[in-house]
Amino acid sequence: MSAHASHAPNRSGLWDYLTTVDHKKIAILYLIAGGIFFLAGGLEALLIRLQLMYPELELIGAKTFNELITMHGTTMIFLAVMPIIFALMNAIVPLQIGARDVAFPFVNALGFWLFFFGGVLLNTSWFLGGAPDAGWTSYTTLALNQYSGSGVDFYVLGLQIAGLGTLIGGINFLVTIINMRAPGMTFMRMPMFTWSSFITSGLILFAFPAITVGLVLLMFDRLFGGNFFNPDAGGNVVIWEHLFWIFGHPEVYILILPAFGIISEVVSTFSRKRLFGYSSMVFATALIGFLGFMVWAHHMFTTGLGAIANTLFGLATMLIAVPTGIKIFNWLLTMWGGQIRFPTANLFAVGFIPTFTIGGMTGVMLAVPPADYQYHDSYFVVAHFHYVIVGGLVFGLFAGLYYWWPKMFGKMLNETIGKWNFWTFFIGFHLTFFPQHFLGLMGMPRRVFTYLKDQNLDMGNFISTIGAFGMTIGTILFLINVVVAAKSSKRAPADPWDGRSLEWAIPSPPPEYNFVQTPLVRGLDALWVEKMAGNKGMTPAEPLGDIHMPSPSFLPFLMSLGLFVAGYGFIYHNYVVVVIGMLFTLGCMFTRSVKDDPGYHIHEDELEEKGVKA
Amino acid sequence: MATNHHAVLPDEPEKATLEGKNKVLGFWLFLGGETVLFGSLFATFIALRDQANGGPTSQALFDMNLVAVATLLLLTSSMTSVMATLALHKKDLKKIQLWLTITVLLGLGFLALEIYEFVHYVNEGLKMSTSAFSSAFYTLVGFHGAHVAFGICWIILLQLSATKKGLTVVTAPKFYLACLYWHFIDVVWVFIFTVVYLMGMIGGKVG
């Protein structure tokens, strides 16, 4: 067809990455950007711990401390771990379902750039009059104009832009998983990581609009004199709490479910066994996703919703322990009788299981409303959610990165450094957060910038700060490992771990079209089925032929840039800038709608087993 | 493989290609997210609708005649957009253009009434900053109005570009989605009409 360019557009270097719509390169972009924000959030955490190392320290002061805790939480949740989850989803999900690409490559790129510009906008607040300081939950009335500076405007606009990116990313993965599976890849044959990505994307779709509305209302109150949260004019601050947690509670399952998926893959591969209780794992994941929407008010037990509401939300919360327990036992039973190996990926996975269980148990303790009145806003809560988010999710992400690094970059991470990375991070983590349970029970409130000496808080805080150094060393070792891997000339094999799912059937890193021929899937653990049948690789489901690819585009970057500019317009009440930014974005949308993308074809005899350059 | 623009269009051309199928499914999911968005706005409005803060109340402001005409216009436009979808399935571009033009005109009429209504309320002393009720009212109804305005621009753009591109497996999904979107914002209006206007006109507090 003459309208189709027959050759791949020749782009390289930075321009290639600014315009790419290839899910594997977008994965790398997510990983780099998320990694940088992770380091920023980690640095903020380290400063927080230094300030709390000794009683009555005057290291950074109360105002900066408030900014640091706000930015640490916001950065870690929205700008660090979510993008790293998206990095792994982008890199792996299309490969696991035997697809050549995602459903909406352009939207995929747009999702990344929106997140990126939103994150940059939020972080520029440090240099433009101070970071947000109302906590990552940004409760009103604290977050209104009379109590908080312009930092909260950066929070509102930055999260709004980044949240849009996450939302469309979620839709993209839902459609990809529903419509793009290879022949034979039925839903109940999908690998657990794909399943958990699917459910997570569903949660994103239904949870993010609530925070979108919450942020809009807060923005209207702060910028346009709205009265949503102004009690003097009839407003109601509890509306913010509801909207925030209707989003915020599903959000914690958005974070943890992909980690469950990673752990399932890693434990099964390194036990050389099929995942125990696969269908109950799928069921448990779906149930956790569903219940995740039913429990938001357990963050608000002390708000005064009344005994009935508190009881119901408390019971619903405890119910989540059931499917989660199913998962824990399934992992244990997967290992039972397996030929277990312990490369770094599996160390993190096995470290995850008891750590996450502790976090889950403190969660059940917090679900009891009368007890929660004691724990509320104390370091016990801080210990709990760091056990699930760091001990759960971050361990899971490390496991996933060590496991899939060869697939993403074509290089193996060094196992010796990896083991040091695991042990320093693991021990550092428990040193940091285990004492915080007791600090909380002894009455230390969260979000205080210092404490008096001789109140039995000195030792716990000191140990906690020492632990933070351990986690810092672990993170630095990971960075060293990345550099060592990048410099090494040894290329990773296609299937370094004796893998079970489809991504290990293609080269590391995969060529831009992923599969020369779409594979035919003949069972759960598609590659393992072929290995057991004595086949060398997957059976193709189609003859060799030309492969159609979408064209790269600079528009996603420009669209996001327009919103980024408009964001500053709102913050500085300069509506000319708002209009310019908005018109720019709408103009890009216009161009996208009018100009059809014919894509290009990779000709049959150009197909080769060659990977993308990382 | 390649699309031949002169060949006969397949049945249901919006779902004839994988791209088309993806778009239709993705858009349904997007509307699911939009439902949560409007649901959150409705919940906020219901919580704040009696907080007039000494300013004008909904009972004092709302005028049934105006809202009834606006509702008539928008619901009729919903029907004409469905007629456009039916024309799409008959692969009749002329009919599509005709029905969409009527849809756009009705939508513009609705929008004009809404702008008139807002200006009128501001003159009556109901500003964004007057009360919690006013903030919630302007935000919910304004969000819907912005959706209508975006829909009008979108449909006009599709109509204009279709005069050049014709009806193909590339343009058909776009028409289909625009009609789906239009239908959705009409459904939202049915709820606004009920929750904001009807419930706002009958006496004092409910429940």
Side-chain angles (χ1 to χ4, degrees):
Chain A
M1 174 83 197
S2 56
H4 291 177
S6 54
H7 285 286
N10 213 351
R11 300 181 175 203
S12 61
L14 184 63
W15 182 240
D16 181 33
Y17 273 87
L18 290 177
T19 57
T20 188
V21 293
D22 179 346
H23 67 94
K24 297 173 289 297
K25 289 181 182 167
I26 292 173
I28 291 169
L29 288 173
Y30 266 119
L31 187 61
I32 293 171
I36 290 170
F37 284 126
F38 184 82
L39 294 180
L43 196 65
E44 284 151 9
L46 197 59
L47 288 171
I48 292 170
R49 276 319 320 164
L50 284 173
Q51 164 67 30
L52 293 171
M53 192 169 182
Y54 298 107
E56 297 173 75
L57 266 187
E58 281 292 345
L59 194 67
I60 49 178
K63 185 181 184 310
T64 312
F65 187 86
N66 285 346
E67 294 174 339
L68 284 172
I69 56 162
T70 304
M71 286 299 282
H72 166 69
T74 312
T75 303
M76 283 301 194
I77 299 278
F78 291 95
L79 309 178
V81 290
M82 293 266 316
I84 297 176
I85 290 169
F86 263 101
L88 291 176
M89 280 164 64
N90 263 297
I92 302 304
V93 167
L95 307 184
Q96 285 196 331
I97 60 173
R100 291 235 162 82
D101 210 328
V102 292
F104 306 113
F106 181 92
V107 170
N108 199 16
L110 179 61
F112 168 75
W113 289 112
L114 284 171
F115 138 70
F116 177 76
F117 278 110
V120 171
L121 181 99
L122 175 56
N123 273 280
T124 54
S125 64
W126 284 112
F127 314 104
L128 298 171
D133 55 0
W136 87 279
T137 51
S138 214
Y139 270 20
T140 52
T141 50
L142 180 59
L144 295 181
N145 282 328
Q146 57 266 48
Y147 303 110
S148 286
S150 67
V152 177
D153 294 330
F154 285 88
Y155 171 96
V156 168
L157 271 306
L159 288 191
Q160 193 69 282
I161 295 169
L164 274 177
T166 308
L167 179 67
I168 61 177
I171 294 177
N172 177 31
F173 275 99
L174 284 171
V175 178
T176 302
I177 293 172
I178 295 173
N179 273 1
M180 310 280 281
R181 285 167 290 128
M185 178 59 83
T186 58
F187 269 99
M188 290 311 276
R189 284 177 181 174
M190 292 193 321
M192 251 347 268
F193 180 64
T194 297
W195 254 114
S196 61
S197 300
F198 180 63
I199 308 243
T200 275
S201 303
L203 296 186
I204 289 174
L205 174 62
F206 293 113
F208 266 74
I211 188 85
T212 302
V213 169
L215 291 170
V216 164
L217 304 187
L218 184 56
M219 174 180 158
F220 283 8
D221 266 17
R222 292 184 55 91
L223 299 176
F224 307 131
N227 293 312
F228 292 103
F229 310 122
N230 175 10
D232 294 339
N236 187 339
V237 293
V238 181
I239 291 173
W240 169 266
E241 293 187 27
H242 278 296
L243 289 174
F244 186 85
W245 289 117
I246 286 172
F247 149 78
H249 200 81
E251 167 72 12
V252 306
Y253 294 103
I254 290 168
L255 297 178
I256 199 65
L257 289 180
F260 288 171
I262 294 166
I263 301 302
S264 303
E265 306 276 319
V266 170
V267 163
S268 150
T269 302
F270 294 117
S271 303
R272 269 215 187 83
K273 268 179 72 185
R274 206 185 118 150
L275 184 67
F276 187 90
Y278 169 82
S279 30
S280 72
M281 281 300 224
V282 172
F283 170 75
T285 310
L287 191 61
I288 293 172
F290 175 76
L291 288 174
F293 277 99
M294 304 294 151
V295 297
W296 78 89
H298 69 212
H299 298 269
M300 302 162 60
F301 280 152
T302 60
T303 302
L305 300 176
I308 303 287
N310 280 0
T311 309
L312 288 174
F313 278 103
L315 283 173
T317 306
M318 290 175 214
L319 215 54
I320 294 186
V322 177
T324 313
I326 290 175
K327 285 183 161 289
I328 305 268
F329 282 110
N330 278 341
W331 290 319
L332 296 178
L333 290 168
T334 304
M335 288 192 280
W336 186 275
Q339 295 168 277
I340 308 180
R341 289 168 289 164
F342 282 106
T344 311
N346 203 27
L347 281 179
F348 272 108
V350 173
F352 165 99
I353 297 172
T355 313
F356 183 81
T357 308
I358 296 172
M361 290 315 295
T362 52
V364 178
M365 291 168 72
L366 286 161
V368 184
D372 182 73
Y373 272 72
Q374 295 300 316
Y375 307 137
H376 186 81
D377 257 351
S378 76
Y379 258 81
F380 190 82
V381 176
V382 178
H384 158 69
F385 68 71
H386 282 92
Y387 259 77
V388 280
I389 293 184
V390 185
L393 173 60
V394 177
F395 282 17
L397 289 177
F398 270 123
L401 286 172
Y402 274 93
Y403 181 59
W404 281 311
W405 199 270
K407 190 51 64 185
M408 288 178 76
F409 294 96
K411 301 280 180 67
M412 302 289 287
L413 288 172
N414 181 299
E415 278 298 321
T416 312
I417 306 176
K419 293 204 163 111
W420 280 95
N421 173 6
F422 168 73
W423 284 110
T424 48
F425 198 87
F426 183 80
I427 295 170
F429 164 79
H430 283 283
L431 271 184
T432 309
F433 294 108
F434 198 71
Q436 291 187 1
H437 292 107
F438 302 101
L439 288 173
L441 294 177
M442 287 186 288
M444 182 166 165
R446 66 190 281 205
R447 294 172 168 170
V448 288
F449 87 103
T450 192
Y451 50 93
L452 296 174
K453 61 180 166 202
D454 297 331
Q455 294 189 320
N456 290 328
L457 303 177
D458 307 17
M459 181 60 94
N461 273 298
F462 182 75
I463 296 173
S464 185
T465 302
I466 297 299
F469 292 131
M471 293 168 77
T472 310
I473 293 169
T475 309
I476 292 171
L477 285 172
F478 179 76
L479 293 177
I480 292 172
N481 209 346
V482 168
V483 175
V484 170
K487 294 230 159 143
S488 109
S489 54
K490 210 170 144 233
R491 298 193 62 81
D495 182 15
W497 313 117
D498 197 8
R500 314 175 69 83
S501 41
L502 276 179
E503 73 268 32
W504 307 111
I506 51 175
S508 302
E512 59 175 322
Y513 41 81
N514 296 350
F515 295 87
V516 178
Q517 289 163 289
T518 301
L520 179 69
V521 176
R522 302 200 283 189
L524 178 64
D525 290 343
L527 180 59
W528 193 256
V529 168
E530 303 297 333
K531 282 179 180 173
M532 289 300 99
N535 297 331
K536 280 218 154 143
M538 300 301 298
T539 312
E542 59 174 11
L544 270 178
D546 293 357
I547 294 174
H548 180 244
M549 302 296 293
S551 309
S553 171
F554 195 41
L555 284 174
F557 182 94
L558 293 177
M559 276 184 200
S560 315
L561 183 68
L563 288 182
F564 178 70
V565 171
Y568 282 108
F570 279 118
I571 291 167
Y572 290 102
H573 304 266
N574 186 332
Y575 296 106
V576 179
V577 176
V578 172
V579 171
I580 291 173
M582 287 298 202
L583 283 180
F584 190 73
T585 296
L586 285 172
C588 293
M589 290 168 73
F590 173 87
T591 313
R592 172 67 184 169
S593 177
V594 173
K595 214 167 142 271
D596 291 329
D597 171 25
Y600 61 92
H601 282 95
I602 300 176
H603 202 257
E604 193 180 318
D605 40 64
E606 287 174 308
L607 298 177
E608 47 184 330
E609 304 280 317
K610 179 183 77 169
V612 288
K613 284 185 279 301
Chain B
M1 273 268 305
T3 338
N4 189 337
H5 293 267
H6 303 290
V8 183
L9 267 183
D11 285 335
E12 295 205 337
E14 76 275 9
K15 282 184 258 184
T17 61
L18 180 61
E19 285 80 12
K21 277 194 198 99
N22 286 346
K23 280 186 182 179
V24 172
L25 176 63
F27 203 80
W28 272 108
L29 294 171
F30 167 74
L31 292 183
E34 286 266 273
T35 308
V36 179
L37 185 118
F38 277 104
S40 305
L41 287 169
F42 273 110
T44 308
F45 177 83
I46 290 170
L48 298 176
R49 66 195 191 98
D50 294 319
Q51 306 296 331
N53 192 30
T57 62
S58 57
Q59 289 85 3
L61 282 173
F62 292 160
D63 169 27
M64 188 48 132
N65 294 332
L66 184 81
V67 184
V69 174
T71 306
L72 189 71
L73 288 179
L74 203 62
L75 291 192
T76 314
S77 82
S78 193
M79 190 193 73
T80 56
S81 78
V82 174
M83 298 304 284
T85 307
L86 293 178
L88 173 70
H89 285 158
K90 292 197 177 121
K91 302 161 206 169
D92 185 345
L93 183 59
K94 268 190 193 150
K95 281 263 176 60
I96 297 175
Q97 295 280 30
L98 174 71
W99 286 117
L100 284 183
T101 308
I102 299 173
T103 306
V104 164
L105 290 175
L106 291 167
L108 282 171
F110 170 86
L111 211 55
L113 283 183
E114 186 156 278
I115 292 168
Y116 165 80
E117 184 196 4
F118 278 16
V119 171
H120 175 67
Y121 291 164
V122 170
N123 291 335
E124 295 280 313
L126 191 79
K127 300 199 176 67
M128 181 77 181
S129 56
T130 304
S131 60
F133 159 68
S134 73
S135 305
F137 170 79
Y138 283 124
T139 304
L140 171 57
V141 183
F143 245 76
H144 176 265
H147 274 75
V148 174
F150 183 85
I152 290 171
C153 297
W154 184 17
I155 293 176
I156 292 176
L157 177 65
L158 292 186
Q159 286 189 286
L160 290 178
S161 67
T163 55
K164 219 172 78 188
K165 292 180 191 168
L167 188 63
T168 67
V169 288
V170 179
T171 54
K174 297 183 186 219
F175 279 127
Y176 188 79
L177 297 190
C179 293
L180 211 54
Y181 173 85
W182 194 262
H183 215 45
F184 174 77
I185 52 183
D186 289 329
V187 173
V188 173
W189 180 259
V190 171
F191 284 93
I192 291 184
F193 180 67
T194 314
V195 173
V196 177
Y197 291 98
L198 291 186
M199 280 166 62
M201 267 179 267
I202 49 166
K205 295 185 182 188
V206 179

